[in-house]
Amino acid sequence: MDFSHLLADRTHKMGASAIREILKVVSQPGMVSLAGGIPAPESFPMDIMGELAEKVIAKYGPQAFQYDFTEGFPPFREALVPHLQRKGICTTAEEILIASGSQGALDAIAKVLVSKGDKIAVEAPTYLGALQAFAPYEPTYVKMDTDDEGLIPECLERVLAANTVKLIYLVPTFQNPTGRTLPVERRKQIAEIIQRNRALLIEDDPYSALRYRGEAVPPIRSFAPENVIYLTTLSKVFAPGLRLGVCVAPPDIRRWIVVVKQGVDLHTSTFNQALAAEYLSGGYITRQLPKILAIYGPRQEAMLNALAVHFPEKFSWSKPEGGMFLWAEGPKGLDIEPLYWKAIENKVAFVPGRYFYTEPGEGLSTMRLNYTMCDEATIEGAIGVLGGVLNGALGTRPGRGA
Amino acid sequence: MDFSHLLADRTHKMGASAIREILKVVSQPGMVSLAGGIPAPESFPMDIMGELAEKVIAKYGPQAFQYDFTEGFPPFREALVPHLQRKGICTTAEEILIASGSQGALDAIAKVLVSKGDKIAVEAPTYLGALQAFAPYEPTYVKMDTDDEGLIPECLERVLAANTVKLIYLVPTFQNPTGRTLPVERRKQIAEIIQRNRALLIEDDPYSALRYRGEAVPPIRSFAPENVIYLTTLSKVFAPGLRLGVCVAPPDIRRWIVVVKQGVDLHTSTFNQALAAEYLSGGYITRQLPKILAIYGPRQEAMLNALAVHFPEKFSWSKPEGGMFLWAEGPKGLDIEPLYWKAIENKVAFVPGRYFYTEPGEGLSTMRLNYTMCDEATIEGAIGVLGGVLNGALGTRPGRGA
């Protein structure tokens, strides 16, 4: 029976996803994928998972398997206080909400705040998963320009002056897709702008722990705690399959997130929260994080070196101090998408950057490259293949470092 | 800072929840609660949880902790095929979707289908958690009358004739809140009615495995598979804190549930799905289910016996063959809510039945009683207290069985 006439208005608009279509080929056998945004399985603390499970079962018994508070499992919320403190987030267990991944928090925030047609200000380019969480609530987007240091504060100022903006969404550290990090000065400017405009900002921070070089930058929330909903996740420092997101929000927003989340999934898995509580409070994370960095750091370096060797001179790319992605940009006028298909023929996948923009026609010459899922030799080979495709298209020879 | 002006239209309407307010007192120390809808912790297979976790870690390794398909972890979907078959649901692994609890499926279905003002037909009384999942999508409700055998098919027929109904929502077996079960003849009639009207029905089936007496009744879906979205959960037969719901839907609805769920939480916990896969495929559930029934059956019996002894003659109640709830109804004109507060003073909690109706003024003399969380002696004592309160209000003496 055909039930398509029953679909809600919002559903028709969610429609076919162009990126989902083009990425279908990524799972073909033999494909080397720089397209994903997935932590390496070898970064998971598999050697202690059994021990953590045993500990949780012994310590909490059936409580770890029972229905629990929508706000989150209290021992996990407690364990997050010092963890967040180390990230520059001063808060209490009561102020912390647990979500089913950051995705769950993004969904709940949009459900609480966004009416049809409301404006969300986003970086250009921005994180696709956030757009996917927001889409069912039918917002419109106002794009804010970025440069090598992320969001340009003056652009935020202009956007807030010219629009009634419901919500600002940023990934300030090792951004997805660009890898860029907002310097502390810009963070302070942005904090001042949102305070003065009484604006509300989502600071989405999944990657800041993945720092391979340089100094940590304080979160925007540390400069404007009342105007920021801060999100982070255990997906990149523990295990993404456990679906554990963390949200610190101003009290009158937080209250509604709880009401909304109760309707969505009652609460996030108690057992998984208990595992994470032990992982944090037992100090396991302190031992695991250096291992994770020791896997990703050399992969990033391998990619940066290979880009210098193989990519055309006319390309530039980000050189982030951490995270999971690099962002490469070719000469204006170059359309990367046909070259995506050429790369696929040569068994290398990436994501054409245009898909991270809310407006069509932008970012045509850009590409996102992930380096967490492949070892150094594979990355070197894959960038070689991509360099060949790009040089072929431009009629040039490999770049600067060659 | 006050951000209440930023709330979405839908959020204002979710407002304060009257039931949440009255149930706040339930967690007072010393309270005996017949108010919950929570499985007994002693029903969880704690003796094998460690073994299951070890098995999963050995068998699936990091895969059990990695991002996974939005549709669900393939080995869990495979293991559900024979499990659902035993419930009378013939389907394939491809047709099964995993949700974060049934709640997650209800949210996703409403998100896919319900536009503001759309009509959802529900039993009077109906399951509150479903109303909570639907609320943010701003439906209106059409109530369908019920009797001791559940939904009256003629009423469904009338409702479909008089209204454009987007969705019908039923809990046909051991309903929450009444405990009632639709007999097979009514199921066939309902199947015929929805087929003839090309209507779509959610059959929410969390309780059918909790049968203490009598014969299983086939699900409505077995008579109208193309018109039914079937939901079940592992919360009552494994552990609710793992948040594992199961959804079998017609293909063109299923496709959209996946798109929507991806925006909500990407996917349900891989590790928890892997635990459930082992629990089902390893035959653990076959050994656990009789233990669960051996806990709940005597508790239900104790409550039924105590009601006969202590409740006023003017009260009647459901005598279900399974599930978690009994539904008691006093004489017309009796308002139970003031007596709720009397009972609370005497340290016994239940849920006044009015909260399970979508229309104000209905069910004033009704109450929902849960028997899964207390042992037989506690149940006997609590029903004695409630009987005293009710007899006091009616100026009567204890009932029939005394």
Side-chain angles (χ1 to χ4, degrees):
Chain A
M1 200 164 299
D2 179 15
F3 287 113
S4 52
H5 62 289
L6 294 184
L7 297 180
D9 304 337
R10 78 179 70 80
T11 306
H12 288 292
K13 285 175 206 154
M14 288 189 274
S17 156
I19 189 172
R20 216 176 296 136
E21 289 307 309
I22 80 150
L23 292 181
K24 272 186 180 164
V25 294
V26 170
S27 54
Q28 284 175 4
M31 189 70 67
V32 173
S33 177
L34 311 177
I38 294 180
E42 56 271 30
S43 76
F44 306 161
M46 292 310 298
D47 54 326
I48 56 156
M49 287 296 189
E51 186 183 328
L52 286 175
E54 261 175 55
K55 269 198 158 182
V56 162
I57 293 166
K59 185 166 177 181
Y60 301 107
Q63 196 198 345
F65 298 89
Q66 184 57 285
Y67 285 123
D68 197 50
F69 301 107
T70 303
E71 290 85 346
F73 186 58
F76 182 33
R77 296 166 82 196
E78 289 293 343
L80 279 164
V81 173
H83 176 72
L84 291 176
Q85 176 83 56
R86 282 189 291 272
K87 289 174 165 291
I89 301 294
C90 296
T91 188
T92 62
E94 292 67 39
E95 291 185 329
I96 297 170
L97 298 183
I98 308 307
S100 300
S102 300
Q103 195 72 26
L106 291 170
D107 171 65
I109 294 164
K111 208 173 200 175
V112 166
L113 296 174
V114 178
S115 292
K116 187 175 171 174
D118 280 354
K119 288 178 180 167
I120 302 180
V122 296
E123 293 159 287
T126 189
Y127 171 52
L128 260 182
L131 301 184
Q132 223 177 338
F134 301 154
Y137 308 103
E138 304 178 73
T140 55
Y141 296 104
V142 192
K143 66 151 191 166
M144 301 179 293
D145 292 325
T146 60
D147 61 18
D148 287 349
E149 300 195 317
L151 174 65
I152 302 164
E154 293 69 26
C155 183
L156 169 62
E157 184 87 66
R158 268 202 308 278
V159 159
L160 292 179
N163 299 275
T164 303
V165 166
K166 183 58 83 80
L167 202 56
I168 304 154
Y169 174 77
L170 288 189
V171 182
T173 308
F174 309 141
Q175 198 226 18
N176 181 352
T178 62
R180 291 166 181 158
T181 293
L182 268 175
V184 66
E185 274 315 313
R186 283 200 182 179
R187 290 175 189 233
K188 288 180 183 166
Q189 283 175 272
I190 289 168
E192 189 276 318
I193 294 168
I194 59 175
Q195 284 171 326
R196 181 159 34 78
N197 286 276
R198 307 172 66 81
L200 188 61
L201 178 143
I202 301 179
E203 177 173 28
D204 192 358
D205 180 25
Y207 307 114
S208 64
L210 303 181
R211 173 172 283 282
Y212 318 124
R213 291 180 301 284
E215 289 297 312
V217 189
I220 298 174
R221 185 183 180 276
S222 65
F223 304 115
E226 291 191 16
N227 296 70
V228 172
I229 303 176
Y230 177 84
L231 304 184
T232 188
T233 170
L234 289 239
S235 290
K236 277 72 188 179
V237 295
F238 187 22
L242 298 175
R243 312 302 307 121
L244 296 170
V246 177
C247 173
V248 182
D252 51 337
I253 304 284
R254 190 168 74 229
R255 182 167 79 85
W256 286 110
I257 292 176
V258 175
V259 171
V260 152
K261 178 177 168 62
Q262 194 165 31
V264 172
D265 62 8
L266 298 185
H267 64 83
T268 296
S269 163
T270 321
F271 185 43
N272 294 0
Q273 291 186 68
L275 290 172
E278 291 311 297
Y279 181 64
L280 295 181
S281 66
Y284 296 94
I285 188 172
T286 322
R287 292 190 289 282
Q288 188 63 24
L289 198 51
K291 295 185 198 172
I292 299 173
L293 302 184
I295 297 168
Y296 294 158
R299 291 180 181 184
Q300 197 211 51
E301 205 183 322
M303 187 175 275
L304 286 168
N305 290 340
L307 285 167
V309 174
H310 299 291
F311 262 38
E313 274 201 29
K314 288 176 176 165
F315 266 72
S316 60
W317 50 87
S318 57
K319 282 122 191 147
E321 295 178 335
M324 298 174 64
F325 305 104
L326 301 185
W327 182 251
E329 188 160 5
K332 267 202 170 45
L334 179 71
D335 185 358
I336 287 285
E337 191 151 328
L339 306 181
Y340 170 79
W341 295 108
K342 273 242 161 66
I344 291 293
E345 280 171 29
N346 291 285
K347 296 288 180 195
V348 176
F350 62 91
V351 185
R354 62 192 298 172
Y355 293 103
F356 301 99
Y357 289 84
T358 52
E359 292 178 24
E362 290 205 71
L364 297 185
S365 69
T366 62
M367 54 205 294
R368 188 189 76 175
L369 301 167
N370 165 267
Y371 49 78
T372 58
M373 275 298 275
C374 302
D375 63 29
E376 291 88 320
T378 310
I379 287 171
E380 156 75 24
I383 294 295
V385 168
L386 288 185
V389 168
L390 298 175
N391 279 301
L394 292 171
T396 54
R397 296 175 40 220
R400 284 149 287 204
Chain B
M1 199 163 300
D2 179 15
F3 287 112
S4 51
H5 62 288
L6 293 185
L7 297 179
D9 303 336
R10 76 180 70 82
T11 306
H12 288 291
K13 285 176 207 154
M14 288 189 274
S17 156
I19 188 169
R20 216 177 294 137
E21 288 308 309
I22 81 151
L23 292 181
K24 271 184 180 166
V25 294
V26 170
S27 55
Q28 284 175 5
M31 190 68 69
V32 173
S33 177
L34 311 177
I38 294 181
E42 57 271 32
S43 77
F44 306 161
M46 292 311 297
D47 54 325
I48 56 155
M49 286 296 191
E51 186 182 326
L52 285 176
E54 260 175 55
K55 268 197 156 181
V56 162
I57 293 166
K59 187 166 174 181
Y60 301 107
Q63 196 199 346
F65 297 89
Q66 185 57 284
Y67 285 123
D68 198 48
F69 300 106
T70 303
E71 290 86 345
F73 187 58
F76 182 34
R77 296 166 83 196
E78 288 293 342
L80 279 163
V81 173
H83 176 72
L84 292 175
Q85 175 84 57
R86 283 188 292 273
K87 290 174 166 289
I89 300 293
C90 296
T91 187
T92 62
E94 292 67 38
E95 291 185 330
I96 297 170
L97 299 182
I98 307 308
S100 300
S102 299
Q103 195 72 26
L106 291 170
D107 171 65
I109 293 164
K111 208 173 203 175
V112 167
L113 295 175
V114 178
S115 293
K116 185 174 174 176
D118 279 354
K119 289 179 181 167
I120 302 180
V122 296
E123 292 159 288
T126 188
Y127 171 54
L128 261 182
L131 301 184
Q132 224 177 337
F134 300 154
Y137 308 103
E138 304 178 74
T140 55
Y141 295 103
V142 191
K143 67 151 190 166
M144 301 180 292
D145 292 324
T146 60
D147 61 17
D148 288 349
E149 300 196 316
L151 173 65
I152 302 164
E154 293 70 25
C155 184
L156 170 61
E157 183 87 64
R158 268 202 307 278
V159 158
L160 292 180
N163 299 275
T164 304
V165 167
K166 185 57 86 76
L167 204 52
I168 304 155
Y169 175 76
L170 288 189
V171 183
T173 308
F174 310 139
Q175 198 229 16
N176 180 353
T178 63
R180 291 166 182 158
T181 294
L182 267 177
V184 65
E185 273 315 313
R186 283 200 182 178
R187 290 176 189 233
K188 287 179 185 168
Q189 283 175 270
I190 289 168
E192 189 276 319
I193 293 168
I194 58 175
Q195 284 172 325
R196 181 160 33 81
N197 286 275
R198 307 172 67 81
L200 188 62
L201 179 143
I202 301 179
E203 178 173 29
D204 191 359
D205 181 25
Y207 307 115
S208 64
L210 303 181
R211 172 173 284 281
Y212 319 124
R213 289 180 303 283
E215 290 297 314
V217 190
I220 299 174
R221 185 183 181 276
S222 65
F223 304 115
E226 289 192 15
N227 295 72
V228 173
I229 302 176
Y230 178 85
L231 304 184
T232 188
T233 170
L234 288 238
S235 290
K236 278 71 189 179
V237 295
F238 187 23
L242 298 175
R243 314 301 306 118
L244 295 171
V246 177
C247 173
V248 182
D252 49 338
I253 304 285
R254 190 167 76 229
R255 181 166 81 84
W256 287 108
I257 293 176
V258 175
V259 171
V260 152
K261 178 176 169 62
Q262 193 165 30
V264 171
D265 62 9
L266 297 185
H267 65 83
T268 296
S269 163
T270 321
F271 185 42
N272 294 2
Q273 292 186 68
L275 290 171
E278 291 310 297
Y279 182 64
L280 296 181
S281 67
Y284 297 94
I285 188 171
T286 321
R287 294 191 287 283
Q288 187 63 22
L289 198 52
K291 297 184 197 172
I292 299 173
L293 301 183
I295 298 169
Y296 293 158
R299 292 180 181 185
Q300 196 211 53
E301 205 183 324
M303 186 173 273
L304 286 168
N305 291 339
L307 286 167
V309 174
H310 299 291
F311 261 38
E313 275 201 28
K314 289 176 178 165
F315 266 72
S316 60
W317 50 85
S318 57
K319 281 120 191 149
E321 295 178 333
M324 299 175 61
F325 305 104
L326 301 185
W327 182 251
E329 186 158 7
K332 268 204 167 42
L334 179 71
D335 186 359
I336 288 285
E337 189 149 333
L339 306 179
Y340 170 80
W341 295 107
K342 274 240 161 66
I344 291 294
E345 281 170 29
N346 291 285
K347 296 288 181 198
V348 177
F350 62 91
V351 185
R354 63 192 298 172
Y355 294 104
F356 301 100
Y357 289 85
T358 52
E359 292 178 24
E362 290 205 73
L364 297 184
S365 69
T366 61
M367 53 205 293
R368 189 191 75 174
L369 302 167
N370 165 266
Y371 50 78
T372 56
M373 274 298 274
C374 303
D375 62 30
E376 290 88 321
T378 310
I379 287 171
E380 157 75 25
I383 294 295
V385 168
L386 287 186
V389 169
L390 298 174
N391 279 300
L394 291 171
T396 54
R397 295 174 41 221
R400 283 149 288 198

